[in-house]
Amino acid sequence: MTTQGTEQGTEYDVVVAGAGPVGLFLAAELRLGGALRVLVVERLTEVDETIKAGWINHPSVVALNRRGLLPELAAVREAVQERLRAFQGVSDGDGTTERPRFAGHFAGIMLDPELFDDSGPEWADADPAAGPGLVLPQAELERALGRWAERLGVEVRRGVELTGFTQDADGVAVQLDERTVRAGWLVGCDGGRSTVRRLAGFAFPGTAPEITGYQALAELSGVERLKAGWNTTDVGTYVHGPFPGRVLTVEFDSPPADRYAPVTAEELEASLRRVSGVPEVRVTGVRTATRFTDNARQATEYRRGRVLLAGDAAHVHSPFGGQGLNLGLGDALNLGWKLAAVVGGRAPESLLDTYTAERHPIGAWVLDWTRAQIALMRPDRHARALRRVVEDLAGSGTGTTYLVNRVSGVWQRYDLPGAHPLTGASAPDLPLSDGTRLGEHLHTGRPLLLGLTGSPAPDTLTAPYTDRLTVLTTTCPTRPTLKALLVRPDGFVAWAADTDGEEDEDGLAAALERWVGGSGAGARALTRG
């Protein structure tokens, strides 16, 4: 970690508004990148137990694994799997239970994992710990990220609300209840109703909601006629499971009058009865519940001066397909190291322009992906006719593979300079000759220069970057023609070369200068020898 001091006249390098998973992940990434004083403020006094996302996709699992966090989550994942097994009654025939397989869904059309073909190039050298994704409750992920941020020295204040701010050329004065703090930068990770977004004046265009949805963990009776899983009816859609007490309903008559009022047992029961057509079902208690809509909006830019947005503050949409949490984690991973480099004086502010350029297209795709699912879930005859066509396509190997690849996020990449196929893609988790894998060398959050010819990189190459770059020389038995990779702190390939390709000395020099910072005087040496 670098040791540049906090900007003169400021108390914090960065203030992050919101201590959900996105805010905590961002704060930890900032600390890994060298930001010394990072403050996270959260109006809630405890982790929000409201049922929200329950699944993280391939890029999110890879990101957590590259930071060494998956072992800490192993017990939580196994407990969730046990609940799934109990609800689904999955057994291997001799009394023991097997891990239920899950490939995701599209508009409630479940995808058969047996039809999924992972032999495509998207999965070549993919992180073996990830697969298409993992079932993991958002609250448990938030707790794990909170512990990680604390270990890294992030200051988290709960029960504190951001009520205003003003920014100038040198920083941001942030009003926190009755106190004002001075920071170099402010990042809004404060959700779909973001105060930061509103006060900073970000444009937030999109499409208006048309549905009312409920998701809850409830005490239920009379559920014998409720079908497990996703179900479409003449009224809308309902879900029962995948563990006891979890229900979800979607109705297409109108958005809720007050989305944020407490959800009562009577209201949830009425919706479940209407959609399922099961009049005897009863909701006798609500443990946690939330309303949702298909309001789909995205900020036109993610930065205005010294104020930035990430997660739901930057984009909102319906929860179908489990994309929201994952989109926000990707924002945090992309922004954290860049903002830390600017704070530490290792990069110009223009580096932050790449944040919007790289993340905005993926956010726009997610909004359209959720809109398409709403179109297929409508109860009108045209939508149901289209749904039958998509169900047929999803029932084929080709259709399932396409949908799983998209839902999993394995396709995500950035448009970066360079002609090599790996440039702009998430780095393949290469098995290395020393018995490690590439991802293990990204735990520190530093960029990685990986030489695969077996010859040590010359000092003239590494000397300008010794304080900020990990250099590793080894070989890879599965990719003998791959010569070298420059991997950014977020795990994306900034430059790559093959042994049988043309020398690309200028490309490496430019990539080092752009993404690592500082002088690249020795950059040309790697491609020789």
Side-chain angles (χ1 to χ4, degrees):
M1 182 176 297
T2 57
T3 58
Q4 287 85 356
T6 305
E7 293 184 47
Q8 186 175 4
T10 64
E11 299 173 69
Y12 295 96
D13 291 320
V14 184
V15 169
V16 178
V22 176
L24 292 169
F25 193 37
L26 173 63
E29 288 295 304
L30 286 165
R31 285 287 294 153
L32 279 180
L36 290 181
R37 298 208 62 194
V38 179
L39 172 65
V40 179
V41 294
E42 170 59 57
R43 64 177 181 82
L44 299 178
T45 58
E46 302 290 341
V47 172
D48 187 359
E49 300 290 347
T50 303
I51 184 169
K52 294 181 181 178
W55 180 81
I56 55 175
N57 68 5
H58 181 86
S60 296
V61 180
V62 168
L64 294 175
N65 199 32
R66 286 173 174 169
R67 297 300 186 250
L69 295 176
L70 282 190
E72 184 174 345
L73 294 166
V76 173
R77 290 158 50 205
E78 184 53 41
V80 172
Q81 291 292 340
E82 186 61 37
R83 294 173 69 192
L84 295 176
R85 286 191 288 262
F87 183 79
Q88 297 175 10
V90 179
S91 172
D92 64 6
D94 62 1
T96 61
T97 56
E98 61 180 281
R99 184 184 299 272
R101 299 183 64 192
F102 177 68
H105 73 88
F106 184 74
I109 301 169
M110 300 307 295
L111 305 175
D112 185 351
E114 299 299 329
L115 295 175
F116 171 54
D117 180 6
D118 63 357
S119 64
E122 303 91 342
W123 299 96
D125 296 312
D127 189 324
L134 292 176
V135 176
L136 185 68
Q138 179 169 324
E140 295 298 335
L141 175 61
E142 184 174 324
R143 274 188 269 271
L145 291 174
R147 292 189 292 269
W148 184 46
E150 182 180 0
R151 292 196 298 269
L152 290 172
V154 173
E155 181 182 350
V156 179
R157 296 188 200 169
R158 288 189 171 273
V160 175
E161 187 167 5
L162 183 151
T163 57
F165 61 86
T166 58
Q167 65 167 312
D168 53 41
D170 300 317
V172 187
V174 184
Q175 184 70 36
L176 304 177
D177 292 330
E178 301 303 318
R179 180 188 174 193
T180 299
V181 300
R182 181 77 177 173
W185 300 84
L186 171 65
V187 185
C189 300
D190 50 342
R193 293 185 291 171
S194 171
T195 298
V196 173
R197 183 188 67 232
R198 176 175 55 82
L199 294 180
F202 285 88
F204 202 50
T207 50
E210 62 180 66
I211 70 170
T212 293
Y214 299 92
Q215 183 173 205
L217 284 176
E219 303 295 336
L220 304 174
S221 63
V223 299
E224 292 77 16
R225 288 179 55 203
L226 284 182
K227 297 179 181 178
W230 287 76
N231 303 275
T232 58
T233 71
D234 291 339
V235 176
T237 297
Y238 79 91
V239 183
H240 181 212
F243 39 80
R246 190 261 183 164
V247 291
L248 180 150
T249 66
V250 182
E251 299 181 76
F252 285 80
D253 50 355
S254 64
D258 184 354
R259 179 180 170 185
Y260 300 100
V263 177
T264 66
E266 294 76 15
E267 181 183 3
L268 182 62
E269 178 180 289
S271 179
L272 187 55
R273 286 182 174 185
R274 283 193 300 269
V275 179
S276 69
V278 180
E280 60 267 31
V281 67
R282 291 289 311 279
V283 177
T284 58
V286 177
R287 283 178 279 172
T288 171
T290 183
R291 294 180 193 83
F292 62 87
T293 74
D294 58 326
N295 182 37
R297 299 184 181 277
Q298 183 180 22
T300 54
E301 56 187 344
Y302 291 178
R303 176 195 172 200
R304 298 198 74 187
R306 286 181 171 260
V307 179
L308 300 105
L309 303 176
D312 289 350
H315 35 67
V316 295
H317 50 82
S318 77
F320 301 123
Q323 298 293 322
L325 172 61
N326 298 293
L327 183 58
L329 292 175
D331 291 346
L333 187 66
N334 187 284
L335 175 60
W337 68 274
K338 294 175 180 176
L339 184 52
V342 172
V343 165
R346 303 185 307 277
E349 288 188 19
S350 59
L351 178 64
L352 297 176
D353 296 337
T354 67
Y355 170 53
T356 298
E358 292 175 2
R359 293 303 300 172
H360 198 277
I362 294 178
W365 176 87
V366 167
L367 264 64
D368 277 347
W369 186 255
T370 60
R371 289 181 180 117
Q373 292 179 80
I374 291 295
L376 280 183
M377 295 170 69
R378 291 183 182 127
D380 63 83
R381 292 185 66 180
H382 291 82
R384 290 301 160 88
L386 179 60
R387 184 180 183 88
R388 287 190 288 272
V389 173
V390 175
E391 285 175 335
D392 286 344
L393 293 172
S396 67
T398 300
T400 290
T401 299
Y402 168 79
L403 291 170
V404 171
N405 284 346
R406 303 303 281 181
V407 170
S408 72
V410 71
W411 58 272
Q412 294 179 12
R413 60 184 300 142
Y414 301 136
D415 184 15
L416 303 184
H420 195 281
L422 287 177
T423 301
S426 181
D429 195 42
L430 301 174
L432 305 177
S433 57
D434 62 0
T436 64
R437 303 188 74 95
L438 185 149
E440 297 175 50
H441 299 279
L442 298 175
H443 287 188
T444 62
R446 289 161 63 100
L448 171 67
L449 182 59
L450 180 64
L452 295 171
T453 64
S455 300
D459 291 340
T460 51
L461 171 68
T462 59
Y465 306 104
T466 54
D467 65 334
R468 69 200 70 172
L469 176 68
T470 298
V471 179
L472 177 63
T473 301
T474 182
T475 60
C476 174
T478 63
R479 299 286 286 269
T481 63
L482 187 58
K483 187 172 188 177
L485 293 174
L486 177 62
V487 184
R488 302 191 321 187
D490 58 2
F492 282 78
V493 177
W495 173 89
D498 292 328
T499 55
D500 57 355
E502 295 183 3
E503 298 289 331
D504 187 19
E505 300 174 356
D506 291 339
L508 176 57
L512 285 166
E513 183 71 23
R514 183 177 192 185
W515 304 116
V516 182
S519 172
R524 292 171 173 77
L526 179 67
T527 55
R528 301 194 182 104

